[in-house]
Amino acid sequence: SGYSALMTAQGAGAVAGAFLVAGASFRRGAEQSSIRSMLVFALALGTFAISRSFPLTMAAAFLAGLSLLGVVTTVSSLVQLATPEAMRGRVMSIFMLAFRGGMPLGNLASGWVAEHFGVAIALGLNAGSLALFGISFWVLRNRAAET
């Protein structure tokens, strides 16, 4: 019952995220929005990793579903908008190869860490890596905007 509750919380978060993305003005600030969503996902994943309270874990799962959907849909849309129409199919196929193909490799590495050091450590490392990438993107985006 606990696992199904967590999956429900994540699914409800994804639905809420879909409504938020659908209702947002996409043209202005989409890059910043995707980076913010990435950082929120990192926070939710980190909270999920260290939480020992079921209500807090449920909230983290909801927030993870919401923010992950925001990242994935926004980045997919940005890639499509930045690509010339004649190249869109090819670019999206490479994007999906990197996105979908990279996940099993990351899962393999995370599984190894979880097996040897524990699930909380694996989730914490994933959250920390994601936060590091998100902060790097944020800094690079702000530097590019200044020039």
Side-chain angles (χ1 to χ4, degrees), residues 79-115:
V79 168
Q80 290 181 51
L81 287 172
T83 305
E85 192 171 329
M87 299 295 290
R88 195 164 293 145
R90 293 177 203 135
V91 168
M92 287 309 295
S93 114
I94 296 298
F95 175 77
M96 291 310 289
L97 174 68
F99 187 74
R100 294 283 194 197
M103 266 194 236
L105 295 175
N107 290 341
L108 183 64
S110 293
W112 185 88
V113 171
E115 184 178 334

Side-chain angles (χ1 to χ4, degrees), residues 18-146:
F19 283 121
L20 282 174
V21 170
S25 172
F26 189 78
R27 290 284 182 183
R28 283 182 40 204
E31 297 94 353
Q32 294 288 10
S33 176
S34 67
I35 294 170
R36 276 192 301 272
S37 292
M38 183 187 301
L39 292 171
V40 169
F41 181 65
L43 176 68
L45 189 59
T47 301
F48 191 90
I50 63 171
S51 174
R52 298 293 176 248
S53 160
F54 193 69
L56 179 60
T57 304
M58 290 278 290
F62 178 86
L63 195 57
L66 186 145
S67 56
L68 182 60
L69 189 118
V71 170
V72 171
T73 55
T74 305
V75 170
S76 296
S77 297
L78 286 170
V79 168
Q80 290 181 51
L81 287 172
T83 305
E85 192 171 329
M87 299 295 290
R88 195 164 293 145
R90 293 177 203 135
V91 168
M92 287 309 295
S93 114
I94 296 298
F95 175 77
M96 291 310 289
L97 174 68
F99 187 74
R100 294 283 194 197
M103 266 194 236
L105 295 175
N107 290 341
L108 183 64
S110 293
W112 185 88
V113 171
E115 184 178 334
H116 290 86
F117 302 102
V119 174
I121 298 293
L123 288 173
L125 286 173
N126 288 336
S129 299
L130 189 59
L132 184 64
F133 279 110
I135 291 167
S136 298
F137 291 147
W138 186 276
V139 168
L140 291 172
R141 175 75 175 101
N142 286 337
R143 281 190 185 161
E146 291 174 0

